[in-house]
Amino acid sequence: MATPVMDKAQATATADYITATFRIRRFNPEESDAVIWEDFQITIDPKERVLDALHKIKWDTDGTLTFRRSCAHGICGSDAMRINGRNRLACKTLIKDINPDKPITVEPIKGLTVLKDLVVDMEPFFQAFRDVMPFLVTEGNEPTRERLQSAEDRERFDDTTKCILCAACTSSCPVFWNDGQYFGPAAIVNAHRFIFDSRDEAGEQRLEILNDKDGVWRCRTTFNCTDACPRGIEVTKAIQEVKRALITRRF
Ligand code: SF4
Ligand code: F3S
Ligand code: FES
Protein backbone atom coordinates (compact mmCIF):
# COMPACT_ATOMS: atom_id res chain seq x y z
CA MET A 1 0.00 0.00 0.00
CA ALA A 2 1.35 3.49 -0.86
CA THR A 3 2.33 5.68 2.07
CA PRO A 4 0.28 8.84 2.74
CA VAL A 5 3.37 10.97 2.05
CA MET A 6 3.70 9.52 -1.47
CA ASP A 7 0.00 10.04 -2.12
CA LYS A 8 0.26 13.71 -1.21
CA ALA A 9 3.32 14.25 -3.42
CA GLN A 10 1.61 12.57 -6.33
CA ALA A 11 -1.54 14.61 -5.83
CA THR A 12 0.47 17.86 -5.78
CA ALA A 13 2.34 16.90 -8.94
CA THR A 14 -0.82 15.92 -10.80
CA ALA A 15 -2.52 19.16 -9.77
CA ASP A 16 0.11 21.08 -11.77
CA TYR A 17 -0.78 19.32 -15.03
CA ILE A 18 -2.53 21.12 -17.85
CA THR A 19 -4.12 20.06 -21.10
CA ALA A 20 -2.22 21.59 -24.00
CA THR A 21 -2.83 21.41 -27.73
CA PHE A 22 0.14 20.90 -30.03
CA ARG A 23 -0.58 21.83 -33.64
CA ILE A 24 2.11 20.05 -35.67
CA ARG A 25 2.91 20.42 -39.36
CA ARG A 26 2.91 16.94 -40.87
CA PHE A 27 4.39 15.76 -44.16
CA ASN A 28 5.00 12.20 -45.23
CA PRO A 29 6.10 11.94 -48.89
CA GLU A 30 5.58 8.16 -48.79
CA GLU A 31 1.86 8.74 -48.29
CA SER A 32 1.03 12.04 -49.95
CA ASP A 33 2.47 15.30 -51.28
CA ALA A 34 0.09 17.23 -49.05
CA VAL A 35 1.16 19.11 -45.95
CA ILE A 36 -1.36 18.97 -43.12
CA TRP A 37 -1.61 20.46 -39.65
CA GLU A 38 -2.59 17.97 -36.99
CA ASP A 39 -3.73 18.75 -33.46
CA PHE A 40 -2.70 16.61 -30.49
CA GLN A 41 -4.14 17.25 -27.04
CA ILE A 42 -2.01 16.03 -24.19
CA THR A 43 -1.98 16.31 -20.42
CA ILE A 44 1.41 17.47 -19.27
CA ASP A 45 3.27 19.40 -16.59
CA PRO A 46 3.87 22.90 -18.07
CA LYS A 47 7.36 22.83 -16.56
CA GLU A 48 8.22 20.09 -19.07
CA ARG A 49 9.79 20.97 -22.39
CA VAL A 50 8.38 20.87 -25.91
CA LEU A 51 10.65 17.87 -26.57
CA ASP A 52 8.93 16.01 -23.71
CA ALA A 53 5.56 16.80 -25.29
CA LEU A 54 6.71 15.51 -28.68
CA HIS A 55 7.98 12.33 -27.05
CA LYS A 56 4.67 11.89 -25.26
CA ILE A 57 2.79 12.28 -28.55
CA LYS A 58 5.12 9.90 -30.37
CA TRP A 59 5.18 7.25 -27.66
CA ASP A 60 1.52 7.37 -26.61
CA THR A 61 -0.46 8.56 -29.64
CA ASP A 62 1.27 8.51 -33.02
CA GLY A 63 4.51 6.59 -33.46
CA THR A 64 4.92 7.95 -36.99
CA LEU A 65 5.62 11.50 -35.76
CA THR A 66 9.18 12.16 -36.92
CA PHE A 67 11.71 14.58 -35.45
CA ARG A 68 15.41 14.68 -34.64
CA ARG A 69 16.79 14.79 -31.12
CA SER A 70 19.72 13.28 -29.31
CA CYS A 71 21.16 14.86 -26.16
CA ALA A 72 17.93 16.46 -24.87
CA HIS A 73 20.09 19.05 -23.09
CA GLY A 74 20.88 21.81 -25.59
CA ILE A 75 24.25 20.41 -26.65
CA CYS A 76 23.89 18.38 -29.86
CA GLY A 77 21.88 20.95 -31.83
CA SER A 78 19.64 18.38 -33.50
CA ASP A 79 16.16 19.53 -32.42
CA ALA A 80 15.91 23.08 -33.76
CA MET A 81 12.34 23.67 -34.93
CA ARG A 82 9.90 26.50 -35.37
CA ILE A 83 7.78 26.72 -32.23
CA ASN A 84 5.01 29.34 -32.20
CA GLY A 85 6.62 30.91 -35.26
CA ARG A 86 10.11 31.21 -33.80
CA ASN A 87 13.18 29.02 -34.12
CA ARG A 88 14.04 27.30 -30.85
CA LEU A 89 15.50 24.07 -29.51
CA ALA A 90 12.61 21.84 -28.42
CA CYS A 91 14.71 20.54 -25.53
CA LYS A 92 15.31 24.03 -24.15
CA THR A 93 11.78 25.40 -24.52
CA LEU A 94 9.53 25.08 -21.48
CA ILE A 95 5.85 24.69 -22.27
CA LYS A 96 4.88 27.26 -19.62
CA ASP A 97 6.98 29.89 -21.44
CA ILE A 98 5.15 29.67 -24.78
CA ASN A 99 1.55 30.41 -23.83
CA PRO A 100 0.06 26.91 -23.55
CA ASP A 101 -3.47 28.39 -23.23
CA LYS A 102 -3.47 28.56 -27.02
CA PRO A 103 -2.52 25.82 -29.52
CA ILE A 104 1.27 25.58 -29.70
CA THR A 105 2.41 25.38 -33.32
CA VAL A 106 5.41 23.22 -34.17
CA GLU A 107 6.89 23.10 -37.67
CA PRO A 108 10.22 22.40 -39.33
CA ILE A 109 12.85 25.14 -39.66
CA LYS A 110 12.54 27.12 -42.90
CA GLY A 111 14.73 27.30 -46.00
CA LEU A 112 15.76 23.62 -46.06
CA THR A 113 13.86 20.82 -47.81
CA VAL A 114 11.47 18.97 -45.51
CA LEU A 115 12.07 15.22 -45.61
CA LYS A 116 9.36 14.15 -43.17
CA ASP A 117 7.35 16.00 -40.50
CA LEU A 118 9.91 18.07 -38.54
CA VAL A 119 13.00 16.63 -40.23
CA VAL A 120 14.75 18.72 -42.88
CA ASP A 121 17.65 17.97 -45.20
CA MET A 122 20.63 19.51 -43.38
CA GLU A 123 23.14 18.74 -46.13
CA PRO A 124 23.22 22.25 -47.73
CA PHE A 125 23.72 23.70 -44.24
CA PHE A 126 26.62 21.36 -43.45
CA GLN A 127 28.13 21.89 -46.91
CA ALA A 128 28.38 25.64 -46.24
CA PHE A 129 29.98 24.81 -42.87
CA ARG A 130 32.55 22.53 -44.53
CA ASP A 131 33.25 25.15 -47.21
CA VAL A 132 34.65 27.67 -44.70
CA MET A 133 37.32 25.20 -43.48
CA PRO A 134 36.15 24.84 -39.87
CA PHE A 135 39.43 23.49 -38.52
CA LEU A 136 42.75 24.88 -37.32
CA VAL A 137 45.30 25.35 -40.14
CA THR A 138 48.95 25.75 -39.18
CA GLU A 139 52.17 25.82 -41.16
CA GLY A 140 55.73 24.78 -40.46
CA ASN A 141 57.22 22.36 -37.98
CA GLU A 142 55.09 20.22 -35.75
CA PRO A 143 55.12 21.77 -32.29
CA THR A 144 56.66 19.79 -29.46
CA ARG A 145 54.09 21.16 -27.01
CA GLU A 146 50.64 22.75 -27.24
CA ARG A 147 50.29 25.95 -29.27
CA LEU A 148 50.08 28.65 -26.64
CA GLN A 149 47.73 31.60 -26.75
CA SER A 150 47.19 34.53 -24.41
CA ALA A 151 43.91 34.87 -22.53
CA GLU A 152 43.19 38.03 -24.56
CA ASP A 153 43.75 36.21 -27.85
CA ARG A 154 41.50 33.36 -26.71
CA GLU A 155 38.80 35.84 -25.71
CA ARG A 156 38.79 37.26 -29.25
CA PHE A 157 36.78 34.30 -30.60
CA ASP A 158 35.28 32.91 -27.40
CA ASP A 159 31.69 33.71 -28.38
CA THR A 160 31.81 31.85 -31.68
CA THR A 161 33.24 28.67 -30.09
CA LYS A 162 29.82 28.11 -28.53
CA CYS A 163 28.08 27.15 -31.78
CA ILE A 164 26.33 23.75 -31.72
CA LEU A 165 25.41 23.80 -35.46
CA CYS A 166 21.68 23.70 -34.80
CA ALA A 167 20.85 25.87 -37.87
CA ALA A 168 18.37 28.01 -35.92
CA CYS A 169 20.21 31.11 -37.18
CA THR A 170 20.61 30.22 -40.85
CA SER A 171 17.04 28.97 -41.14
CA SER A 172 15.69 32.20 -39.65
CA CYS A 173 17.55 34.42 -42.12
CA PRO A 174 15.36 35.95 -44.88
CA VAL A 175 18.33 36.10 -47.26
CA PHE A 176 18.81 32.34 -46.86
CA TRP A 177 15.07 31.73 -47.35
CA ASN A 178 15.24 33.57 -50.68
CA ASP A 179 17.50 31.20 -52.58
CA GLY A 180 19.44 29.05 -50.13
CA GLN A 181 22.73 29.97 -51.86
CA TYR A 182 23.91 32.37 -49.15
CA PHE A 183 26.54 30.73 -46.91
CA GLY A 184 24.35 31.73 -43.97
CA PRO A 185 25.17 32.98 -40.48
CA ALA A 186 26.20 29.62 -38.99
CA ALA A 187 28.95 29.09 -41.58
CA ILE A 188 30.20 32.64 -41.01
CA VAL A 189 30.18 32.15 -37.23
CA ASN A 190 32.33 29.06 -37.67
CA ALA A 191 34.67 30.86 -40.05
CA HIS A 192 34.94 33.66 -37.46
CA ARG A 193 35.93 31.14 -34.82
CA PHE A 194 39.12 30.33 -36.82
CA ILE A 195 39.78 33.65 -38.60
CA PHE A 196 40.28 35.36 -35.25
CA ASP A 197 42.25 32.51 -33.66
CA SER A 198 45.85 33.76 -33.28
CA ARG A 199 47.19 30.21 -33.84
CA ASP A 200 45.47 29.77 -37.20
CA GLU A 201 47.14 30.61 -40.53
CA ALA A 202 44.30 30.31 -43.04
CA GLY A 203 42.39 33.48 -42.18
CA GLU A 204 43.07 35.06 -45.59
CA GLN A 205 41.81 31.93 -47.33
CA ARG A 206 38.59 31.89 -45.33
CA LEU A 207 38.05 35.60 -45.95
CA GLU A 208 38.39 35.02 -49.69
CA ILE A 209 35.86 32.19 -49.52
CA LEU A 210 33.40 34.55 -47.79
CA ASN A 211 34.15 37.40 -50.22
CA ASP A 212 32.08 35.41 -52.72
CA LYS A 213 28.78 36.71 -54.13
CA ASP A 214 27.04 34.30 -51.75
CA GLY A 215 29.29 35.25 -48.83
CA VAL A 216 29.15 37.83 -46.03
CA TRP A 217 28.05 40.73 -48.23
CA ARG A 218 24.65 39.08 -48.66
CA CYS A 219 23.92 39.78 -44.98
CA ARG A 220 21.44 42.65 -44.58
CA THR A 221 21.96 42.97 -40.81
CA THR A 222 18.47 41.71 -40.10
CA PHE A 223 19.42 40.29 -36.65
CA ASN A 224 16.98 37.33 -36.94
CA CYS A 225 20.00 35.06 -36.52
CA THR A 226 21.09 36.69 -33.28
CA ASP A 227 17.55 36.51 -31.90
CA ALA A 228 17.27 32.82 -32.83
CA CYS A 229 20.58 31.54 -31.47
CA PRO A 230 19.91 29.26 -28.47
CA ARG A 231 23.52 29.68 -27.35
CA GLY A 232 23.22 33.45 -27.11
CA ILE A 233 25.99 34.01 -29.67
CA GLU A 234 26.13 37.55 -31.04
CA VAL A 235 25.84 36.23 -34.57
CA THR A 236 25.29 39.53 -36.39
CA LYS A 237 28.24 41.08 -34.54
CA ALA A 238 30.46 38.17 -35.66
CA ILE A 239 29.32 38.69 -39.26
CA GLN A 240 30.10 42.40 -39.00
CA GLU A 241 33.58 41.58 -37.68
CA VAL A 242 34.23 39.31 -40.64
CA LYS A 243 33.06 42.05 -43.02
CA ARG A 244 35.37 44.53 -41.32
CA ALA A 245 38.28 42.08 -41.52
CA LEU A 246 37.63 41.74 -45.26
CA ILE A 247 37.88 45.52 -45.70
CA THR A 248 40.85 46.15 -43.41
CA ARG A 249 42.56 42.73 -43.77
CA ARG A 250 43.25 42.97 -40.05
CA PHE A 251 42.23 40.04 -37.86
FE1 SF4 B 1 22.82 27.38 -33.75
FE2 SF4 B 1 23.75 29.73 -32.78
FE3 SF4 B 1 25.40 28.05 -34.06
FE4 SF4 B 1 23.55 29.36 -35.40
S1 SF4 B 1 25.29 30.28 -34.31
S2 SF4 B 1 24.04 27.20 -35.64
S3 SF4 B 1 21.87 29.41 -33.96
S4 SF4 B 1 24.33 27.68 -32.14
FE1 F3S C 1 20.51 37.11 -42.06
FE2 F3S C 1 21.48 37.46 -39.66
FE3 F3S C 1 22.38 38.89 -41.66
S1 F3S C 1 19.38 37.12 -40.18
S2 F3S C 1 20.63 39.09 -42.97
S3 F3S C 1 22.58 36.71 -41.43
S4 F3S C 1 22.05 39.59 -39.58
FE1 FES D 1 20.35 18.00 -28.39
FE2 FES D 1 18.14 19.48 -28.17
S1 FES D 1 18.28 17.32 -28.36
S2 FES D 1 20.16 20.15 -28.46
Side-chain angles (χ1 to χ4, degrees):
M1 202 175 100
T3 65
V5 172
M6 183 63 88
D7 282 346
K8 192 177 172 193
Q10 282 173 338
T12 307
T14 313
D16 289 341
Y17 278 38
I18 59 165
T19 300
T21 301
F22 282 80
R23 184 161 292 165
I24 304 177
R25 192 177 191 272
R26 308 291 309 266
F27 171 62
N28 182 355
E30 288 174 359
E31 283 183 358
S32 158
D33 290 339
V35 169
I36 58 163
W37 288 87
E38 195 169 1
D39 282 2
F40 296 90
Q41 271 203 344
I42 55 168
T43 302
I44 194 162
D45 184 336
K47 295 190 289 304
E48 301 259 43
R49 305 150 314 164
V50 170
L51 182 63
D52 300 312
L54 294 176
H55 277 146
K56 200 169 165 51
I57 293 165
K58 184 173 178 69
W59 293 335
D60 298 348
T61 310
D62 184 346
T64 69
L65 179 64
T66 306
F67 51 95
R68 286 195 181 103
R69 79 288 194 198
S70 181
C71 72
H73 291 284
I75 301 299
C76 72
S78 58
D79 64 341
M81 51 189 78
R82 213 167 156 79
I83 300 168
N84 279 354
R86 197 185 138 193
N87 282 3
R88 313 171 201 245
L89 293 181
C91 67
K92 287 200 51 171
T93 306
L94 298 185
I95 294 166
K96 70 182 178 60
D97 293 340
I98 49 170
N99 190 11
D101 297 338
K102 292 187 176 169
I104 295 163
T105 59
V106 184
E107 52 191 313
I109 50 177
K110 287 173 74 173
L112 294 161
T113 305
V114 179
L115 299 178
K116 188 179 177 194
D117 292 341
L118 304 173
V119 173
V120 298
D121 178 7
M122 294 286 281
E123 186 47 31
F125 173 81
F126 284 122
Q127 187 56 53
F129 168 67
R130 287 191 290 267
D131 285 348
V132 299
M133 305 165 60
F135 41 81
L136 195 71
V137 178
T138 57
E139 305 276 341
N141 298 328
E142 286 291 308
T144 52
R145 49 183 290 192
E146 72 268 33
R147 296 174 193 276
L148 295 178
Q149 185 168 56
S150 71
E152 292 73 31
D153 283 346
R154 175 62 179 75
E155 183 60 29
R156 185 71 190 83
F157 61 95
D158 185 65
D159 199 31
T160 46
T161 62
K162 297 175 193 154
C163 178
I164 55 171
L165 292 173
C166 68
C169 55
T170 297
S171 62
S172 69
C173 172
V175 178
F176 185 76
W177 294 339
N178 264 350
D179 61 11
Q181 298 304 307
Y182 172 39
F183 271 81
I188 302 171
V189 158
N190 284 278
H192 178 287
R193 182 256 171 270
F194 290 99
I195 290 169
F196 293 96
D197 186 332
S198 59
R199 302 163 301 176
D200 184 82
E201 294 171 57
E204 282 286 353
Q205 234 176 306
R206 290 194 194 84
L207 285 177
E208 271 323 307
I209 291 167
L210 290 173
N211 206 12
D212 184 84
K213 66 176 173 42
D214 295 317
V216 282
W217 306 113
R218 296 285 303 276
C219 170
R220 294 288 174 264
T221 328
T222 313
F223 278 91
N224 287 19
C225 50
T226 302
D227 291 344
C229 181
R231 302 285 293 167
I233 298 170
E234 292 188 88
V235 181
T236 312
K237 182 176 171 215
I239 296 171
Q240 295 304 101
E241 289 179 356
V242 172
K243 285 180 181 173
R244 206 170 306 125
L246 256 169
I247 295 167
T248 62
R249 296 288 164 169
R250 284 218 310 269
F251 47 89

